[in-house]
Amino acid sequence: MRGSEVHGGSYAVVAGEERLGSGTVRSDADGIGVTYQVSNNGRGAHLEEWIRTDSDELPVSWTIDGKSDLGGSVAERMDTDGSSRSWVSQADEGRDPDGARKLYIAADCSPYAGWLYARAALGAGGSVDALPSGKVRASVSDQVRVGDTEVDVVTVTGASLFPQYLFADAGANLVASIGGGSTYREILVREDVVTQANTLSRVQAQVTADALEGIQQRVRNRYDGLVRIRNVRIFDPHEKRLTGPSSVTVWRGRFTRIEPGDTEPAGPGDTIIDGAGGTLVAGFHDMHVHLSAWSSLYYLAAGVTTVRDMGNDNQMLDELVGRIDAGVVAGPTVLRSGLIEARSPYSVRADVVAESLGEALAGVHWYADRGYHQIKLYNSIPAEWVAPLAAEAHRLGLRVVGHLPAFTTAHAMIEAGYDEITHLNQLMLGWLLEEGEDSRTMVRVTSMARGAGLDLSSEAVRRTIALMRERGIGLDATVGFMERVLRMRSRTGLEADAPFLSHMPVSFQRGRRRTWVPTTDEKELAAYHAAFATMLDLVTVVDGNGLDVWPGTDDEGTGFTYHRELELLVAAGLAPATVLRRATYDCARYLGLERDHGSVEYGKVASCVLLDGDPTVDIGAVRAVRMVMKDGDAYFPADIYRELGVEPFSPPPAVRRPTDEPASA
């Protein structure tokens, strides 16, 4: 991959037909300069970088200034002094005396950094040790023609949570970069081939699909004959308690015999899974995800067997769901929400960005024709459109959820037809914003600092809660995501991340040790911290009024934040057994799936999770996932995590297959 070794060019940031930003790369004898900016959904990173590399293409100096996606300040430095490298970032600072032969992974950088990583790893034979830790690998997987240009397809792993896909021309210059975790297929693409962005996206999707199909063949355990899960205590959502020691039989993807004790003799063709006294609970539901091909593995490993996708690249999601349903790749069952946005300077990138009410109504019809579960309205939708959109959606059998359109309130949107409110902060905006403040901007986050002083017994709050109770309006709270936005701090992160963070790739660890809110003022940071306590109190109020609070993450797709979501519902005052029921049976019933899902009962689909410990006593036991069964296929998270470059957490259960030595009765 060594060619002209000239870094330069003008790039666009695109998603589908939408141009979201730009990048400029320039180089001279002193180094490489990168200017990067993106604006999407009222937010976006703006960065200036300057990099010098050595003869092995390892960065020896790197400065990054600007702001991160949510507006946090960026001022990162890495320098080389003899044989050592030192760095200072929002996440950490350090010095490595042997760092001169290692690749520094930046904490806050543009997508162009992936190309620096690729060149360094390829130049070292395919892999290179990284700073602050880890190893980066790169490989050339294919060569394709894009327009008039032959490009190599390069996959980089180890530098981030998901693989990064890069396209390079014959001169070893970057043509395009696509992150493997990108929900909307955001692409950094050189201006001369910008019209080929969709072609590049399709190539990336196929490379990803091939990789995931290989992983599925290695991690899925499909057993012939009877499967007997022995020595488990089963969570009964109806009684909200665990049974005594029990045995569960699975036949052709469904639960059949469920009995106390373990008295049934094992037949010669039976597969025996030893639960070792653990808890067997129905598969979890995450009610707020934006699924990508790679994140589907993380959700499954975390015990999440059903997700509600809350807005996505429709073609990508349709293809992914088709592969999951066919068993070609691993992933949860998916219910789809159709995202509808209106055109404005702050529009989120979506497949339906309407210029008129008529176009928005056509979007409702498009989603209804394709069997979507509901529509999700977004920030730029004019408030006056909501009533006719909701009426048409309801006529066609779709539910209506979403963010608040700018300059209105949750109360008004419920009256206009919302069936559910999305995000705690969206519920609170009408009580916190001053007249004229625009929630299409980051004010929808920054205004939360005022939440510390919100009186939850005020007339405005009580009036909206009463309306929610009258109409049975639930709350898709995303409590864990709000904790991360409001309470995560540079260098320290969140205590809640301690159970899993050290197992993750280094760039992910560093990303979880930054301040997301756009301020460093200690008084304002304290206000954000206190505001989250108010949010937990609001969850208590909503639940105390008999309303449903649904567990959902809206996070990067690791699955680990789902466990935190359940812990926070307990912190808000819900009993652990109530939270387990909410995450399993209640979600299934709400989604219309309770006939086949939501509990470990005779005749239901065999989707379940084997946990160490008793989550009805300590909800933290949901983190100790030893096995996940999806539609009768068994997956051991330890196997999945090894494929993803994550250090496993819990050992798999002992399994005796028919080819093993016979077991006693």
Side-chain angles (χ1 to χ4, degrees), residues 266-591:
D270 295 354
T271 295
I272 309 299
I273 299 174
D274 182 5
T279 297
L280 196 70
V281 59
F284 298 129
H285 296 67
D286 190 325
M287 300 290 271
H288 194 128
V289 310
H290 299 278
L291 200 65
S292 70
W294 286 100
S295 69
S296 62
L297 277 171
Y298 279 100
Y299 283 115
L300 195 61
V304 176
T305 60
T306 302
V307 299
R308 184 173 64 169
D309 190 283
M310 292 294 282
N312 217 314
D313 179 303
N314 294 327
Q315 180 181 348
M316 181 279 290
L317 185 63
D318 185 62
E319 293 170 356
L320 176 58
V321 169
R323 291 195 294 270
I324 291 173
D325 289 348
V328 176
V329 301
T333 298
V334 183
L335 280 82
R336 293 173 290 180
S337 306
L339 184 60
I340 300 178
E341 174 69 302
R343 180 70 60 190
S344 85
Y346 308 103
S347 301
V348 68
R349 192 273 166 193
D351 285 337
V352 179
V353 182
E355 302 277 2
S356 65
L357 175 59
E359 288 186 8
L361 287 166
V364 174
H365 294 164
W366 193 93
Y367 289 125
D369 287 344
R370 288 157 180 80
Y372 278 63
H373 171 64
Q374 60 190 15
I375 62 168
K376 178 186 177 184
L377 303 181
Y378 216 67
N379 303 320
S380 295
I381 292 287
E384 61 270 19
W385 289 10
V386 173
L389 288 172
E392 186 65 3
H394 291 154
R395 186 183 72 83
L396 296 171
L398 277 68
R399 301 173 67 258
V400 180
V401 304
H403 288 205
L404 300 188
F407 314 114
T408 188
T409 66
H411 194 101
M413 293 303 93
I414 294 169
E415 290 182 325
Y418 270 32
D419 298 299
E420 184 182 303
I421 297 297
T422 304
H423 302 301
L424 271 167
N425 66 313
Q426 294 287 322
L427 176 60
M428 295 170 67
L429 284 174
W431 307 324
L432 297 176
L433 292 186
E434 299 174 2
E435 186 175 354
E437 287 189 298
D438 192 343
S439 60
R440 295 174 297 180
T441 69
M442 285 303 295
V443 74
R444 64 182 181 270
V445 172
T446 58
S447 63
M448 291 301 109
R450 309 167 196 169
L454 179 63
D455 181 2
L456 296 180
S457 65
S458 68
E459 172 60 26
V461 174
R462 288 189 291 108
R463 179 170 170 266
T464 299
I465 297 297
L467 181 63
M468 293 174 70
R469 186 172 61 246
E470 175 188 326
R471 301 198 179 186
I473 304 300
L475 175 63
D476 170 17
T478 63
V479 194
F481 182 71
M482 297 314 305
E483 179 187 41
R484 188 162 312 287
V485 171
L486 300 182
R487 285 191 167 180
M488 196 162 68
R489 298 290 179 263
S490 293
R491 306 292 177 90
T492 58
L494 287 173
E495 184 179 344
D497 288 344
F500 72 91
L501 197 58
S502 64
H503 292 241
M504 306 300 288
V506 64
S507 64
F508 183 85
Q509 294 184 38
R510 301 179 85 198
R512 291 296 180 102
R513 296 191 182 108
R514 294 180 296 179
T515 299
W516 279 10
V517 290
T519 184
T520 56
D521 180 87
E522 290 300 323
K523 184 176 180 180
E524 192 171 359
L525 289 174
Y528 282 119
H529 191 88
F532 182 72
T534 303
M535 285 186 163
L536 283 182
D537 290 341
L538 179 56
V539 170
T540 305
V541 170
V542 172
D543 178 76
N545 276 269
L547 298 168
D548 293 315
V549 181
W550 302 115
T553 54
D554 193 29
D555 209 347
E556 298 101 325
T558 66
F560 303 117
T561 43
Y562 183 80
H563 304 146
R564 180 58 178 166
E565 188 78 9
L566 302 188
E567 290 174 341
L568 286 170
L569 293 181
V570 172
L574 282 70
T578 298
V579 171
L580 282 177
R581 175 186 165 110
R582 186 71 49 84
T584 55
Y585 184 79
D586 287 349
C587 281
R589 183 181 58 187
Y590 186 63
L591 297 173

Side-chain angles (χ1 to χ4, degrees), residues 39 166 317 330 389 553 610 612 664:
S39 179
L166 304 141
L317 185 63
L389 288 172
T553 54
L610 176 63
D612 266 342
S664 60

